[in-house]
Amino acid sequence: MKAIGVDVGGTFTDLVYCDLASGRVEIHKVSTTPDDPSRGVIQGVIELCAAAGVETGEIDYVFHGTTTATNAVLEHKGVVAGMITNEGFRDIIHIGRHQRVQHYSIRQELPWQDRPLVKRRHRKTVGGRLAPPTGAELEPLDEEAVRRAAEELKAEGVQSVAICFLFSYLNPAHENRAREIVAEIMPDAFVTTSSFVSPQFREFERFTTAALAAFIGPKVRTYIEHLETALKSAGLEGELRIMASNGGVATAGMVSDKPTLTLLSGLAAGVLGGAWIGELAERKRLITFDIGGTSADIGIIVDGVYAETDARSTSIAGFPLLSPMIDIHTIGAGGGSIAHLDRGGAFRVGPKSAGAVPGPAAYGRGGSEPTVTDANLVLGRLDAEDFLGGGMKLDAAGSARVIGELATTLGLGPEEAAEGVLTVINSNMANAIRSRTVQKGIDPRGFALVAFGGAGPLHGAEVAAMLGIGEVIVPPYPGITSAMGLLTTDVKYDATRTQFQVSGAVDLDRLNADLAGMEADLAAQFRADRIETADMEFERIGDLRYVGQGYELKIPLPAGTIDAGALAGVLDAFHRAHTAEYGHAFAASPIEIVNIKVSGIGRIQKLRELAEPQGTSVAAAKVRTGPCAFRVDGVLATFETAFYHRPLLPVGEAFEGPAIVLQKDSTTVVPPRARAVVDRSGSLIITLGGAA
């Protein structure tokens, strides 16, 4: 099977071709086209196929990580959305909850109030009410009111509608009927329901998740349809699969119906790629560190398993979200991050980025502000003649000019200013990693840092040293690792049902019937995707809490029929998890099963391993030497530094820093007092002598 992975970033679009039968790999990078990302994707795919010597018609699958949904929310550039809800609940998505994001701030920004996904004038209310605990109908749906609401929304120019009723997670009948009526009156609109997007309790979060789907739905659907058409026009008849936030891939049709699945699409692929690289290098405790042009993304992997978000912390741009997602922390720090003085005169780097256009001054496209890339070039850590494998020449004079202007403003020399830019950005990224490790009781010194993305290997060693991490893993193709991560996963879908059952009075028949029903629904979806029954796996999770608590912990549920003994094991596991999370448990307190969830995994052929590097010697890989500036023991000094061509580095022969390792998709910095060696998996392992 032949497959292409495509990851669209803020600056570059990364592509990888892989013959999954032979393991042959070909990589490529093109500039992202922000006005229409699909243009860059098609250009890159055509050029990659030509470089690999394959016809576009030979490609079986295109796996794609997209930022369309993410950017629409982050930049608040969705469509004009409307909402239909119960009488008296028009302002649910405005009021939110009594908990404040910042408990003691009276001036904090609340995104659902400052920039609502659905403006109040586009929220319509109708009669009809369901009631817990079964979803029984108290009041019939007022279908005429739904028609009037749809007519009003159509007249107001609304392009998308979210239908959100109370207790629809127990009984979706009212929402489904309202959806049918709206679709009749607004046939061109994107119409979704809260029970379809996220059938679980907590109406504020459920309504907001549905509003997010409505806000981004038309853009995501249009992008997917346009991309499919463009791929077919280019001769690619293979199936398009989209990376989902839960760590699996989904069909284009599934993503078009549930656009919130892609809110962390590209970022999730990076964590998967980092986990795969760690597995090949036989490391199981990893911090994935993905730096692109605009952001740095951080994930934690323990014993080969990545962390997932929970109901307390799942959000996008501040909006709460009820959707399975890999736990990824993102900050505005990348190669394009701009160094500047803020209004108070403090020196900062990011979060504003030069992006792909105009990009850093080094790109020669009109960039006029100093960026992290410019600082690396001024310090000698980038080779102006060998960027993107020589495919792009860097403007060293342009970088020197903008860094020089910054240096004058700061009253420093050019190299001091450039090194200051890197120190600030590295400190920002180290602090972000501390927030996901130290602040959660995790000692980062027991982990290896997997540094990838276009800029990750440039900064990985110095960030690791700040954290006391002793080992950095740089993948064989670091700049394309997220794209390669797309080829290492399976199809994955999730199902959720709310239970509200208390220990001591659990209806096991209902529990088992709901679990079996969800597995049957997922199996039907997999069969529609042409996945054989033998390739299906199901994982069960329960959201449990002590009665009276506000949030839950995720506890694995056993396969098969759950009897009283199996249930007792689940409850014991909850007590242990509570102790691990909070330091104590209440053995005598009743436990509530809030939600049950099933993750369905459809196994597909994927990338397993890479060919062993064929380099002959470190001496043969040496390109030249040149001056590079590093701060050692608090003193900024210039070192004569060896530059190596990575494809020529052999397995097992170590070399000392300072060194710069060049390859087409990234540049790796091995600082003074560090040692590097290529292992059999192809990864470059950097050992830091100064790390604790």
Side-chain angles (χ1 to χ4, degrees):
M1 187 177 85
K2 296 179 173 64
I4 288 178
V6 185
D7 178 55
V8 178
T11 305
F12 289 103
T13 293
D14 304 328
L15 304 100
V16 57
Y17 160 80
C18 183
D19 184 329
L20 296 176
S22 67
R24 182 199 166 197
V25 168
E26 186 81 28
I27 67 171
H28 190 46
K29 289 175 84 79
V30 296
S31 292
T32 294
T33 50
D35 60 312
D36 179 6
S38 66
R39 283 198 300 110
V41 171
I42 297 302
Q43 174 195 343
V45 166
I46 292 173
E47 292 176 358
L48 177 61
C49 287
V54 298
E55 298 294 328
T56 55
E58 297 179 54
I59 303 300
D60 298 295
Y61 286 95
V62 175
F63 295 93
H64 182 32
T66 173
T67 56
T68 301
T70 313
N71 292 341
V73 177
L74 294 177
E75 299 172 10
H76 204 72
K77 292 182 179 178
V79 303
V80 179
M83 176 180 286
I84 297 176
T85 189
N86 299 98
E87 289 179 341
F89 289 86
R90 181 184 189 185
D91 294 319
I92 281 287
I93 64 170
H94 176 87
I95 297 170
R97 295 193 170 273
H98 72 276
Q99 300 106 320
R100 300 169 67 85
V101 180
Q102 300 169 6
H103 291 295
Y104 304 107
S105 172
I106 62 173
R107 300 184 63 184
Q108 64 183 289
E109 178 195 42
L110 297 176
W112 53 88
Q113 294 179 1
D114 295 344
R115 49 181 189 279
L117 299 165
V118 181
K119 294 180 179 179
R120 194 171 192 271
R121 61 179 173 271
H122 299 319
R123 298 179 221 146
K124 312 296 181 180
T125 62
V126 300
R129 184 65 66 89
L130 304 174
T134 62
E137 185 178 83
L138 288 184
E139 178 187 344
L141 177 67
D142 188 340
E143 296 189 6
E144 285 306 314
V146 175
R147 289 188 175 88
R148 289 194 301 272
E151 294 286 2
E152 291 173 6
L153 292 173
K154 183 177 181 180
E156 292 166 4
V158 165
Q159 302 164 265
S160 183
V161 180
I163 299 168
C164 306
F165 293 149
L166 294 177
F167 306 111
S168 61
Y169 60 87
L170 297 172
N171 180 0
H174 282 189
E175 285 193 350
N176 291 343
R177 178 56 185 146
R179 181 177 186 170
E180 292 173 356
I181 295 170
V182 174
E184 291 172 6
I185 296 170
M186 304 174 66
D188 297 328
F190 178 91
V191 186
T192 192
T193 67
S194 72
S195 57
F196 177 71
V197 173
S198 181
Q200 52 188 306
F201 94 115
R202 291 194 173 98
E203 63 270 14
F204 169 55
E205 289 83 358
R206 177 163 48 88
F207 286 14
T208 300
T209 302
L212 279 165
F215 188 68
I216 63 175
K219 281 201 166 187
V220 172
R221 178 172 287 179
T222 298
Y223 174 72
I224 296 299
E225 290 175 351
H226 181 56
L227 180 59
E228 282 191 304
T229 300
L231 288 170
K232 285 182 171 57
S233 298
L236 279 97
E237 297 295 333
E239 187 171 347
L240 176 64
R241 293 280 173 91
I242 309 297
M243 187 74 215
S245 306
N246 64 359
V249 290
T251 62
M254 175 66 78
V255 167
S256 294
D257 290 338
K258 289 187 175 181
T260 53
L261 291 176
T262 65
L263 282 170
L264 288 185
S265 175
L267 309 188
V271 174
L272 295 174
W276 173 67
I277 289 298
E279 181 181 355
L280 293 181
E282 300 181 344
R283 271 75 168 177
K284 293 188 176 181
R285 295 173 65 84
L286 308 166
I287 298 171
T288 62
F289 187 53
D290 179 6
I291 311 177
T294 58
S295 66
D297 308 314
I298 299 153
I300 307 296
I301 297 167
V302 179
D303 295 331
V305 179
Y306 51 75
E308 295 184 352
T309 58
D310 53 39
R312 291 169 292 174
S313 57
T314 306
S315 65
I316 180 79
F319 293 98
L321 184 68
L322 287 180
S323 184
M325 302 175 79
I326 294 179
D327 190 3
I328 304 170
H329 184 53
T330 300
I331 65 169
S337 295
I338 295 171
H340 64 284
L341 298 182
D342 66 16
R343 289 183 297 177
F347 180 43
R348 300 189 182 277
V349 184
K352 184 181 178 182
S353 173
V357 180
Y363 291 178
R365 297 172 180 162
S368 59
E369 297 179 280
T371 69
V372 172
T373 296
D374 296 311
N376 275 305
L377 185 55
V378 166
L379 292 173
R381 302 184 188 188
L382 289 173
D383 190 324
E385 302 300 317
D386 194 354
F387 191 71
L388 294 183
M392 181 178 178
K393 305 296 183 184
L394 296 181
D395 183 359
S399 292
R401 183 185 68 256
V402 294
I403 294 295
E405 293 169 353
L406 176 66
T408 300
T409 301
L410 298 174
L412 300 172
E415 286 192 346
E416 289 179 306
E419 199 276 336
V421 171
L422 299 193
T423 296
V424 170
I425 200 75
N426 289 341
S427 297
N428 291 346
M429 293 186 286
N431 286 335
I433 293 174
R434 288 189 186 98
S435 74
R436 314 310 289 178
T437 54
V438 176
Q439 293 180 20
K440 293 179 176 288
I442 299 171
D443 187 348
R445 293 174 296 182
F447 288 70
L449 187 75
V450 186
F452 57 96
L458 276 167
H459 300 265
E462 291 183 338
V463 170
M466 289 179 173
L467 295 163
I469 295 172
E471 187 176 72
V472 177
I473 303 173
V474 181
Y477 304 102
I480 313 292
T481 299
S482 290
M484 298 188 80
L486 294 164
L487 306 181
T488 67
T489 189
D490 297 296
V491 179
K492 186 177 180 181
Y493 298 136
D494 297 283
T496 300
R497 291 188 187 178
T498 295
Q499 286 279 298
F500 286 132
Q501 297 207 63
V502 179
S503 58
V506 174
D507 183 343
L508 289 175
D509 289 339
R510 175 190 166 198
L511 179 65
N512 285 304
D514 282 352
L515 287 167
M518 287 190 288
E519 290 181 357
D521 290 343
L522 293 175
Q525 180 62 54
F526 284 138
R527 285 192 292 272
D529 294 342
R530 302 190 304 279
I531 293 174
E532 300 295 329
T533 301
D535 294 323
M536 301 177 195
E537 294 182 14
F538 300 98
E539 297 177 354
R540 298 171 168 185
I541 292 288
D543 289 339
L544 277 65
R545 66 186 181 185
Y546 290 118
V547 172
Q549 284 186 319
Y551 289 95
E552 307 80 45
L553 294 177
K554 295 179 179 180
I555 307 298
L557 300 178
T561 301
I562 297 176
D563 57 18
L567 179 62
V570 171
L571 301 179
D572 287 341
F574 172 76
H575 288 305
R576 293 193 299 271
H578 198 279
T579 300
E581 182 75 13
Y582 299 110
H584 60 273
F586 303 101
S589 295
I591 297 170
E592 185 175 33
I593 303 173
V594 178
N595 300 309
I596 54 173
K597 303 177 180 180
V598 176
S599 291
I601 300 169
R603 302 294 180 190
I604 58 176
Q605 190 174 358
K606 49 187 174 287
L607 183 61
R608 296 292 183 184
E609 59 185 19
L610 299 172
E612 186 174 316
Q614 298 299 310
T616 55
S617 70
V618 169
K622 188 173 180 179
V623 177
R624 64 178 178 87
T625 61
C628 291
F630 296 91
R631 188 175 293 277
V632 177
D633 295 331
V635 177
L636 181 64
T638 299
F639 294 79
E640 192 65 17
T641 301
F643 285 68
Y644 297 100
H645 186 45
R646 180 161 181 178
L648 299 181
L649 287 172
V651 172
E653 184 181 352
F655 57 95
E656 304 291 331
I660 305 296
V661 181
L662 306 172
Q663 60 189 111
K664 181 177 181 179
D665 54 305
S666 188
T667 297
T668 301
V669 170
V670 183
R673 300 180 181 172
R675 168 178 286 203
V677 65
V678 176
D679 77 351
R680 293 193 178 278
S681 70
S683 288
L684 183 67
I685 311 295
I686 302 174
T687 304
L688 304 175

